[in-house]
Amino acid sequence: MPTISFMADEDLKFMRLALELAKKAELKDEVPVGAVIVQDGEVIGRGMNTSIGDHDPTSHAEINAIREAAKLIKNYRLKDCSIYVTLEPCAMCVGAIQHARIGKLSMALRTPRRVLAEAWLISLVSKKLTIMQKLWVAS
């Protein structure tokens, strides 16, 4: 079963980057979700929702970040990487995270409507996945 814990200071730094991407998505009238992929303390992938502008239902923040990271390291397996997402991933994105072999998922907000995604997350991902969460309060 995945480990669930709260974020450390370094995790918060990367989550802030994901939140900046979510704000950019919102300014483009997209669903405000951002994602950042980190390997060895370096950002290797960034993504925000672009489904509306791209006319592509798969252009979620997580997918876009995974694509960028995979191209950068020239490998579709993102072992030893972490993904920071502003909202709990949908079932499609959970599947992509699993297939990319990302080891740690940090999410800023969980929603009650995401019960299906959580069930997929627990049943499909490797036992080594660490889930980190932090509830953010708008100021």
Side-chain angles (χ1 to χ4, degrees):
M1 180 166 227
T3 304
I4 298 178
S5 57
F6 290 94
M7 290 184 199
D9 287 342
E10 183 168 287
D11 296 313
L12 293 174
K13 175 180 85 172
F14 296 121
M15 186 58 73
R16 285 186 186 98
L17 294 174
L19 287 166
E20 288 174 19
L21 290 166
K23 288 177 188 174
K24 286 182 182 179
E26 184 176 33
L27 291 173
K28 294 182 178 196
D29 293 325
E30 298 280 352
V31 177
V33 179
V36 174
I37 297 180
V38 175
Q39 183 181 54
D40 298 324
E42 298 292 323
V43 175
I44 63 168
R46 297 170 192 258
M48 62 183 185
N49 276 7
T50 57
S51 294
I52 296 167
D54 290 350
H55 309 289
D56 180 354
T58 67
S59 281
H60 290 195
E62 300 92 330
I63 302 294
N64 292 334
I66 289 169
R67 287 176 178 151
E68 184 175 289
K71 284 180 184 174
L72 181 72
I73 67 169
K74 297 179 175 28
N75 193 337
Y76 71 106
R77 297 286 190 223
L78 301 176
K79 288 184 162 191
D80 303 317
C81 290
S82 302
I83 187 167
Y84 297 85
V85 198
T86 58
L87 185 65
E88 185 174 355
C90 70
M92 175 185 69
C93 292
V94 167
I97 291 166
Q98 176 207 12
H99 287 291
R101 305 294 192 263
I102 294 173
K104 184 172 91 172
L105 164 64
S106 296
M107 59 185 128
L109 182 64
R110 299 180 74 195
T111 62
R113 298 182 307 169
R114 298 291 176 113
V115 175
L116 175 62
E118 185 173 331
W120 275 69
L121 187 63
I122 291 170
S123 66
L124 292 179
V125 298
S126 78
K127 293 180 181 179
K128 293 181 181 179
L129 179 68
T130 301
I131 303 169
M132 315 240 1
Q133 65 185 43
K134 170 88 175 167
L135 297 179
W136 291 79
V137 179
S139 53

